[in-house]
Amino acid sequence: MTHKTTIILTWVTLTSILLTLQPVTCEPRATQASRLICGSGRATTASYIPTFVQQMERLSSNLNNSQTNFATTNNTSPPFYALIQCHKDLSRTDCLVCYAVSRTAVPGCLPVTAGRIFMDGCFVRYDNYSFFNESVDPKTDTRNCNSTSGFGGRDFKGGVLEFNTSVGGLVENVTKLALNNSGFGVLEWRGVYGLAQCWESLSVEECRVCLDSAKKEVMGCLPSADGRGMNAGCFLRYSTQKFYENDSLGGGGSSGLSSPGAKVAVVLAAVAFLMISSFAGYAAYMRILKRREEKKNMGMLSNSFNKSGLKYKYETLEKATNFFDISNKLGQGGAGSVYKGTLPNGDVVAVKRLFFNTRQWVDEFFNEVNLISAIEHKNLVKLLACSIEGPESLLVYEFVPNKSLDHFLFDKDKVQILSWKQRMGVILGTAEGLAYLHGGCHVRIIHRDIKSSNILLDKDFSPKIADFGLVRTFGADRSHLSTGIAGTLGYMAPEYIVRGQLTEKADVFSFGVVVLEIACGKRNNAFVEDSGSLLQTVWKLYKDGAVAEAIDPLLDGEFPEQEALQVLQIGLLCTQASAALRPSMTQVIEFLTTKDEDHQIPIPHQPPFLNARALMSQGLSSSSTSSPLTKLGLSYTTTSQSSTAPSSEWAPLRIDEMSTS
Ligand SMILES: *[C@@H]1O[C@H](CO)[C@@H](O)[C@H](O)[C@H]1NC(C)=O
Ligand SMILES: *[C@@H]1O[C@H](CO)[C@@H](O)[C@H](O)[C@H]1NC(C)=O
Ligand SMILES: *[C@@H]1O[C@H](CO)[C@@H](O)[C@H](O)[C@H]1NC(C)=O
Ligand SMILES: *[C@@H]1O[C@H](CO)[C@@H](O)[C@H](O)[C@H]1NC(C)=O
Ligand SMILES: *[C@@H]1O[C@H](CO)[C@@H](O)[C@H](O)[C@H]1NC(C)=O
Ligand SMILES: *[C@@H]1O[C@H](CO)[C@@H](O)[C@H](O)[C@H]1NC(C)=O
Ligand SMILES: *[C@@H]1O[C@H](CO)[C@@H](O)[C@H](O)[C@H]1NC(C)=O
Ligand SMILES: *[C@@H]1O[C@H](CO)[C@@H](O)[C@H](O)[C@H]1NC(C)=O
Ligand SMILES: *[C@@H]1O[C@H](CO)[C@@H](O)[C@H](O)[C@H]1NC(C)=O
């Protein structure tokens, strides 16, 4: 397989590079003094690895340009901070070599967002926050003791104890020296050598704290011949062998790269770094991909995509969106952000940049590509292409010029009020798109996240259903699918929330909510405690025979009353608590299109009463502890709190998929 060949080639090349480096590494002390220490948080965006590579490169040039052996980088998005500190006795050349070598080890932490490594001549760390003034970190501070006893052949007449005392005095003195000498000191006493180095970003006080702690660690090494204390902010070492340069101190440091050997080493190390970085990123990517591969046969997908010529180069799309400039951002979906892009041929498209996010990320990506590429309907947003080779996965959709439906319905300062006729068009078009998903194409698809912000309007205000990130197909043999809960509260059917039961009727419920929102011009807020949800309000007015009161007041009474009544009736039918009582989408289209008198729309029987409190008690009383609602408990709590915020704009809660393993 080609993947294996790549991996083997990488390692062969790396091994030879590291072998080449070996003779050079003694001088710059580019030997590893600690293991590679990685954090725990993982990158959540695909742009992380490119940022990593770019910033580690910048650190190198910052170091080359700095007057000292110290450099940092900061201020990036995603947050990435890095620090390099060479011990001050290293020449500039040796420092660059030490950094270059350590840089090949650090990508071993990817895709974790924090890592550090202590070399004998330098220290490199990267993290997602500004850690530059950190002196100690009990979780990661470490020491490294040589197991060989240090006093053996030496002239310490008092034996171990004298050796101990001498080293103790040396360490004490070299620490003092460093504190009085901008964070660096070397000392020799009776054949024992000591070095103390604080990072230059620390204050004297922070340096003292760090060295005091390192001193204790190092003393624990006694009576070893060699001990290193390695803290978040400093490095302290003693050894019976001279390990530092004291002739290069002061004026000796050469600037730039003088020796050709060192130049070669730096170049080779940089190459190795790039290869390891890409290898680490690639390996992480492959891990995710493999898991996916086991679940679905991917061959079909890539074949059909290669044939269809729906591929774009990542670079092309990057340029088309002006490098994902914020001014081109159209919106934010559950699976990623959407940008407007202009292709080289002038075509305007919408580019969805998927979040790099664990298993769900790949799942959603392939779901979307696989399903949408096979689907074509005037009321569904069309997938034009995708890009999977670049650092992140991109989907290219047709560009729908108007904003999503929710902007037309709920925005405070609406550009335009939709007329009743336009609203009817949106309702019918959405119904047709959904009916197609439910049965009109060769697979049965449940959208799972029908809501007004997922319905886009084109220039003629004809609706197009978007965001298929949550769609799932299911075979004809299975009546429902309950792998997890996903969707937006306020639009989710009660049986789906409470029991995780997913059928087309869940989409019908969401559609009903959208219908009522369109007719009434109000959001269905599941968390309004006093006034109740939109569904309750409409139900009450319907019972009282006062449906006209429910219709959007912005229409100024300009709507046919009989039709309005029917629309509300359809909305209520679709949102009945019992899934079995809800009509299918095909029936809904019939209700909407057949105008003949004896074709009556059924009377809705069951009120939905879907508000958070009702749901909560329903869920708690429904015995089963493994009910998805139990897992949703936290989401409910947090959202009820946020809904009490002064904002009148209620942002629908999005519940991300949770696997019910
Ligand atoms: C940094 O990563 C940790 C997880 O290791 C996370 O808890 C924290 O929120 C992250 N901070 C930032 C600023 O992203
Ligand atoms: C370091 O800077 C010098 C010029 O100041 C430049 O010639 C050299 O190529 C740089 N080396 C690296 C490794 O960036
Ligand atoms: C880090 O950020 C500060 C401001 O927050 C800025 O002054 C400094 O130049 C930055 N350093 C680097 C290396 O980018
Ligand atoms: C580092 O500095 C920040 C402010 O710049 C401060 O909030 C933080 O407490 C400092 N940390 C330590 C360990 O001194
Ligand atoms: C320990 O120190 C001795 C002498 O200083 C050296 O020969 C040996 O390689 C060291 N061992 C380790 C594991 O570092
Ligand atoms: C001194 O050496 C002895 C070995 O006999 C060791 O057990 C002890 O911890 C050392 N004491 C100090 C203060 O390092
Ligand atoms: C440490 O410094 C003190 C005072 O400068 C000196 O008396 C002592 O001999 C030194 N000890 C060692 C081990 O260097
Ligand atoms: C620190 O250095 C100054 C001169 O630079 C010297 O006068 C002073 O004695 C030193 N203090 C210590 C504790 O070594
Ligand atoms: C530096 O090296 C010279 C010999 O080259 C030696 O006499 C002196 O003690 C050394 N100084 C330190 C601080 O190690």
Side-chain angles (χ1 to χ4, degrees):
M1 231 178 120
T2 51
H3 299 148
K4 273 193 189 137
T5 321
T6 319
I7 292 168
I8 290 167
L9 269 180
T10 309
W11 285 116
V12 168
T13 320
L14 280 180
T15 315
S16 36
I17 286 170
L18 293 178
L19 285 177
T20 324
L21 278 178
Q22 221 56 65
V24 194
T25 53
C26 339
E27 212 180 29
R29 303 209 296 273
T31 43
Q32 211 170 313
S34 76
R35 65 186 173 85
L36 178 64
I37 303 164
C38 303
S40 57
R42 300 174 77 83
T44 52
T45 61
S47 62
Y48 188 78
I49 288 169
T51 303
F52 175 88
V53 173
Q54 183 195 14
Q55 292 300 307
M56 293 303 273
E57 184 56 44
R58 179 171 299 171
L59 200 56
S60 172
S61 66
N62 286 0
L63 182 61
N64 193 21
N65 297 334
S66 89
Q67 295 306 303
T68 64
N69 275 346
F70 171 77
T72 59
T73 68
N74 59 18
N75 295 337
T76 62
S77 170
F80 185 91
Y81 297 82
L83 174 150
I84 161 72
Q85 171 81 64
C86 291
H87 302 168
K88 268 204 193 126
D89 60 320
L90 248 56
S91 69
R92 176 55 50 83
T93 309
D94 288 347
C95 178
L96 288 170
V97 172
C98 187
Y99 172 65
V101 174
S102 62
R103 206 164 77 137
T104 61
V106 170
C109 282
L110 289 175
V112 165
T113 57
R116 65 184 91 169
I117 190 164
F118 292 87
M119 312 293 281
D120 271 330
C122 61
F123 169 75
V124 175
R125 177 176 177 188
Y126 76 95
D127 214 320
N128 68 350
Y129 67 96
S130 176
F131 56 83
F132 303 135
N133 63 354
E134 253 178 44
S135 49
V136 290
D137 181 352
K139 278 209 293 285
T140 54
D141 289 349
T142 181
R143 74 169 178 223
N144 178 352
C145 308
N146 186 323
S147 53
T148 316
S149 181
F151 72 99
R154 292 184 183 272
D155 185 25
F156 287 108
K157 295 212 172 57
V160 176
L161 208 60
E162 198 189 336
F163 179 69
N164 275 4
T165 320
S166 297
V167 172
L170 173 76
V171 166
E172 190 69 43
N173 284 4
V174 81
T175 299
K176 275 197 195 125
L177 182 61
L179 288 171
N180 201 19
N181 182 33
S182 46
F184 173 77
V186 287
L187 265 188
E188 183 268 341
W189 201 64
R190 293 180 68 185
V192 186
Y193 301 83
L195 175 150
Q197 171 79 64
C198 284
W199 314 157
E200 282 179 48
S201 49
L202 295 194
S203 69
V204 176
E205 199 41 52
E206 286 158 343
C207 179
R208 187 192 313 281
V209 169
C210 187
L211 287 177
D212 279 344
S213 153
K215 206 158 60 186
K216 290 200 190 79
E217 287 159 22
V218 158
M219 294 311 279
C221 281
L222 284 171
S224 295
D226 198 322
R228 302 169 178 91
M230 295 171 283
N231 284 356
C234 62
F235 181 90
L236 181 63
R237 179 180 179 186
Y238 79 85
S239 177
T240 51
Q241 291 195 325
K242 183 162 183 256
F243 59 89
Y244 55 78
E245 321 290 335
N246 74 349
D247 43 18
S248 77
L249 288 173
S254 56
S255 65
L257 293 177
S258 44
S259 91
K263 268 182 196 160
V264 171
V266 169
V267 170
L268 286 179
V271 170
F273 166 75
L274 280 176
M275 294 186 69
I276 297 179
S277 303
S278 41
F279 175 70
Y282 178 73
Y285 178 72
M286 284 310 290
R287 261 200 308 275
I288 302 167
L289 212 61
K290 207 172 158 198
R291 238 178 288 163
R292 177 67 200 170
E293 209 170 18
E294 287 158 8
K295 287 176 69 195
K296 263 209 171 124
N297 64 346
M298 270 196 33
M300 206 178 65
L301 163 78
S302 46
N303 277 346
S304 62
F305 249 86
N306 284 337
K307 272 196 223 119
S308 64
L310 290 181
K311 289 188 303 180
Y312 276 108
K313 274 214 169 82
Y314 181 80
E315 294 75 27
T316 312
L317 296 173
E318 209 177 28
K319 278 205 200 85
T321 56
N322 191 15
F323 297 89
F324 303 105
D325 193 89
I326 192 84
S327 64
N328 285 328
K329 190 162 168 176
L330 295 171
Q332 181 91 42
S337 322
V338 184
Y339 295 82
K340 184 176 175 175
T342 312
L343 296 174
N345 66 4
D347 283 356
V348 179
V349 293
V351 179
K352 186 163 170 185
R353 189 188 198 185
L354 293 170
F355 298 133
F356 171 92
N357 196 4
T358 64
R359 188 181 65 84
Q360 199 186 340
W361 167 68
V362 185
D363 254 7
E364 295 202 3
F365 179 76
F366 286 106
N367 250 303
E368 191 144 0
V369 172
N370 221 348
L371 289 170
I372 293 204
S373 63
I375 288 170
E376 214 171 330
H377 188 272
K378 66 178 168 57
N379 295 118
L380 300 173
V381 173
K382 194 160 175 242
L383 179 75
L384 300 175
C386 78
S387 157
I388 37 179
E389 279 99 19
E392 23 179 24
S393 300
L394 304 173
L395 295 171
V396 184
Y397 293 98
E398 68 172 310
F399 177 70
V400 183
N402 272 326
K403 285 181 161 181
S404 51
L405 176 60
D406 58 330
H407 289 285
F408 288 94
L409 293 177
F410 314 128
D411 271 4
K412 280 269 167 327
D413 37 4
K414 299 182 205 37
V415 209
Q416 185 177 356
I417 296 163
L418 295 179
S419 72
W420 181 258
K421 198 156 167 274
Q422 284 169 327
R423 293 179 201 223
M424 287 305 288
V426 172
I427 291 173
L428 183 59
T430 308
E432 284 172 353
L434 258 183
Y436 175 80
L437 283 179
H438 288 176
C441 48
H442 57 282
V443 279
R444 288 166 68 202
I445 292 167
I446 301 177
H447 186 291
R448 296 216 288 190
D449 203 14
I450 293 289
K451 55 182 171 183
S452 45
S453 58
N454 267 345
I455 297 170
L456 308 182
L457 299 183
D458 71 7
K459 57 183 191 315
D460 307 320
F461 295 97
S462 152
K464 283 177 184 289
I465 301 171
D467 205 345
F468 288 73
L470 297 168
V471 291
R472 294 288 184 279
T473 44
F474 58 100
D477 54 325
R478 274 186 290 169
S479 62
H480 71 271
L481 189 81
S482 55
T483 51
I485 289 274
T488 304
L489 209 66
Y491 296 91
M492 286 157 78
E495 79 278 3
Y496 180 42
I497 297 180
V498 176
R499 291 190 294 276
Q501 207 172 69
L502 182 64
T503 64
E504 287 100 331
K505 294 295 178 74
D507 276 352
V508 173
F509 182 94
S510 314
F511 171 78
V513 175
V514 172
V515 167
L516 295 178
E517 286 184 339
I518 293 173
C520 307
K522 284 194 196 70
R523 244 188 237 279
N524 180 40
N525 186 343
F527 292 103
V528 174
E529 295 284 328
D530 358 290
S531 62
S533 71
L534 173 66
L535 302 193
Q536 277 174 286
T537 313
V538 175
W539 176 255
K540 217 180 279 164
L541 291 172
Y542 176 81
K543 280 272 145 197
D544 299 346
V547 280
E549 275 177 47
I551 302 297
D552 192 348
L554 291 177
L555 284 171
D556 259 341
E558 281 182 31
F559 55 89
E561 213 158 308
Q562 186 55 29
E563 198 174 58
L565 173 67
Q566 285 176 352
V567 164
L568 291 183
Q569 211 168 322
I570 290 170
L572 288 170
L573 269 179
C574 292
T575 51
Q576 289 178 106
S578 157
L581 292 178
R582 290 173 216 151
S584 70
M585 286 317 298
T586 331
Q587 285 174 300
V588 168
I589 294 173
E590 264 171 45
F591 298 154
L592 287 168
T593 50
T594 333
K595 297 285 173 200
D596 91 53
E597 289 300 312
D598 42 64
H599 201 97
Q600 287 289 316
I601 297 174
I603 307 293
H605 289 287
Q606 274 185 330
F609 291 138
L610 182 70
N611 70 18
R613 188 172 281 177
L615 261 180
M616 198 63 114
S617 53
Q618 210 181 335
L620 292 177
S621 61
S622 76
S623 66
S624 157
T625 46
S626 66
S627 137
L629 193 67
T630 326
K631 297 183 184 168
L632 294 180
L634 203 66
S635 309
Y636 275 99
T637 321
T638 46
T639 314
S640 343
Q641 277 162 2
S642 68
S643 76
T644 61
S647 127
S648 59
E649 278 294 293
W650 174 70
L653 164 68
R654 181 180 189 89
I655 297 169
D656 285 322
E657 179 165 355
M658 279 162 281
S659 93
T660 50
S661 54

